[in-house]
Amino acid sequence: MAAAPVWSVDPRTGKQREQVAVEATAQEVDDAVRAAHAVRPALADRTVRAAFLRTAADLLEGAREQLVEAADAESALGPVRLTGELTRTCYQLRAFADIVDEGAFLDVIINHPDDTATPPVPDLRRYKVPLGVVAVYSASNFPFAFSVAGGDTASALAAGCPVVVKAHPDHPALSELVAAVLRRAAARHDIPEGVIGLLHGFQAGVDLVKHPLIAAAGFTGSVRGGRALFDAAAARPVPIPFHGELGSLNPVVVTEAAAAERAEAIGAGLAGSMTLGVGQFCVKPGLVLAPAGAAGDRLVKSLTDAVSDTDAGVLLDHRMRDNFIAGVAERAELPEVETPVTPGAGSEHTVSPGFLTVPAHRLATEGEHDLLLEECFGPLTVVARYEDESEASAVLSRLPGNLTATVQLSTEEAAGEGRGAEILAELTPLAGRVLVNGWPTGVAVAPAQHHGGPYPATTSTSTSVGGTAVERWLRPVAYQNAPEALLPPELRDDNPLGLPRRFDGRLER
């Protein structure tokens, strides 16, 4: 049977643009993984790794015009958005290069023998080593930042792990272009091109996670797809870590005092956040708890005005468009659900933004309205109007894990008066990032960033954004009573590499 063609499709028209490749066979998956596995020694030198990452950023910037044009043709996200995303991706690559240079991520700890301890302590030296080949599953909604050269790939390379990427079907042409750029960067540092493998096709993705030489996987996508791969990773004869970002509702709580103080500003801010990128951000606020009184009415009026003024947009593909329209219709039919601005089909290829309102008590207990507690990918949010604080708390108690949780507080509440701290404590178990008086869309690439959360937001406690994302692809190993001459240079007393480390209990830098 001939391999199935892989087409680049224009989401603005639904028409095929060009055949990019064919879906990978099982043999091609095996070849890509084995080629990546053979590259591991070429990434052993941290200096080489850091230089590779910086060269990759430089070459991506050099190809900016071609890459942004290709990305826009396949995603309809627009040159401005995509130019910014590519800049973010290059910044992220350079940030990981800095982390590699510094070396603190190796977590070097040295303990000399101590016979006076109970029990006695032998000579112990601990640091972290790369896991091996990492499988990366690209996301649809960030064709640069969470795709071939995105955070999973950058952090894996920083850790010393070659990567095999399963390209997302929404941007196969761009994926091929970016992979070629990364391979050119590798060649400049004598790293074989197998350091970046690229595969197309659904079955190839399944075969990839099952390959015995794959040591870990990173995924960004749907709950259904991610959970299937997560289960496959766990069911292997040798299970592997699977770091998946699956889905998130990203709840927002607006206090009565905050609505009374600035309802119009909150409504406008919410509209901007929920419609950003046609509502296709993984941290889009999908559920808002707002008060039922007059202040809440002002908020809803402001949201209505702002969303009504927002143009229809193109989703990443027509399958997502169909799912969005069907999901909106199913939610809108529920009892006591109203649509101040009706979301749905804009034109043949677009969707219009909107929002639903519902009394919060409908969500406080299990029932048919539980559908409103599930993410609907696209420009839609649900505003649940609560009568009192206990009703809002009852809804929060029923929420699954999220990437973010936000609270809008009044000036006095933010200063420590009222229930601000109590609400923050209530939101903390629900999410990996808790925001105060802001909006969750926009994930800064920074050392303190955490982009993850309780299941189903993610399948692990790790982050996929920020410097600590590198930790996903490392494992600790300790050497006991090993002669100095046999130790890796990172663990020798004289510290020839100048690494930050903890030496007999003292932190040295």
Side-chain angles (χ1 to χ4, degrees), residues 140-222:
S140 61
N141 55 342
F142 284 89
F144 290 119
F146 285 83
S147 188
V148 177
D152 286 347
T153 296
S155 58
L157 294 173
C161 297
V163 170
V164 179
V165 180
K166 160 57 176 67
H168 196 280
D170 279 354
H171 35 83
L174 176 67
S175 298
E176 290 285 347
L177 290 172
V178 172
V181 171
L182 295 183
R183 289 168 183 154
R184 289 201 299 272
R188 293 195 181 185
H189 301 281
D190 297 321
I191 299 172
E193 67 175 19
V195 69
I196 298 291
L198 184 66
L199 303 170
H200 299 273
F202 172 82
Q203 187 58 46
V206 176
D207 294 343
L208 182 61
V209 80
K210 293 180 178 180
H211 196 286
L213 293 181
I214 290 294
F219 171 92
T220 303
S222 68

Side-chain angles (χ1 to χ4, degrees), residues 206-440:
V206 176
D207 294 343
L208 182 61
V209 80
K210 293 180 178 180
H211 196 286
L213 293 181
I214 290 294
F219 171 92
T220 303
S222 68
V223 173
R224 181 181 178 184
R227 183 55 196 255
L229 290 171
F230 178 45
D231 291 346
R236 291 167 37 127
V238 179
I240 58 171
F242 184 89
H243 301 285
E245 179 191 321
L246 310 187
S248 185
L249 197 60
N250 305 300
V252 178
V253 177
V254 181
T255 68
E256 177 77 40
E261 183 178 272
R262 49 192 174 86
E264 289 74 18
I266 293 172
L270 172 58
S273 185
M274 59 153 286
T275 61
L276 185 65
V278 201
Q280 296 173 111
F281 278 52
C282 51
V283 288
K284 178 203 73 177
L287 174 69
V288 182
L289 286 161
D297 291 343
R298 287 168 43 217
L299 188 159
V300 170
K301 173 64 165 58
S302 173
L303 178 63
T304 299
D305 293 343
V307 172
S308 297
D309 288 339
T310 303
D311 293 334
V314 177
L315 294 184
L316 293 162
D317 61 43
H318 280 61
R319 176 185 57 83
M320 292 182 189
R321 178 181 179 274
D322 292 344
N323 289 341
F324 175 75
I325 293 170
V328 167
E330 188 177 5
R331 287 164 172 80
E333 290 174 355
L334 294 170
E336 292 192 82
V337 169
E338 297 181 359
T339 55
V341 181
T342 303
S347 65
E348 182 182 358
H349 304 292
T350 64
V351 297
S352 57
F355 68 99
L356 313 176
T357 62
V358 64
H361 73 84
R362 285 288 193 173
L363 306 179
T365 57
E366 184 177 355
E368 60 184 334
H369 287 75
D370 285 0
L371 179 63
L372 301 177
L373 303 182
E374 297 178 11
E375 178 184 13
C376 184
F377 193 73
L380 170 75
T381 197
V382 175
V383 179
R385 307 291 299 274
Y386 64 88
E387 297 289 344
D388 53 40
E389 295 167 357
S390 64
E391 198 168 77
S393 294
V395 175
L396 291 176
S397 71
R398 302 195 61 240
L399 297 187
N402 292 272
L403 294 170
T404 70
T406 301
V407 59
Q408 297 289 337
L409 300 174
S410 69
T411 302
E412 289 186 354
E413 288 171 328
E417 301 179 25
R419 295 184 63 246
E422 183 180 337
I423 297 173
L424 225 60
E426 199 170 8
L427 294 179
T428 297
L430 296 178
R433 178 161 59 105
V434 180
L435 297 89
V436 178
N437 289 353
W439 298 104

Side-chain angles (χ1 to χ4, degrees), residues 11 78 92 143 275 334 407 420 450 462 508:
Q92 186 166 242
T275 61
L334 294 170
V407 59
H450 186 82
S462 301
E508 296 181 350

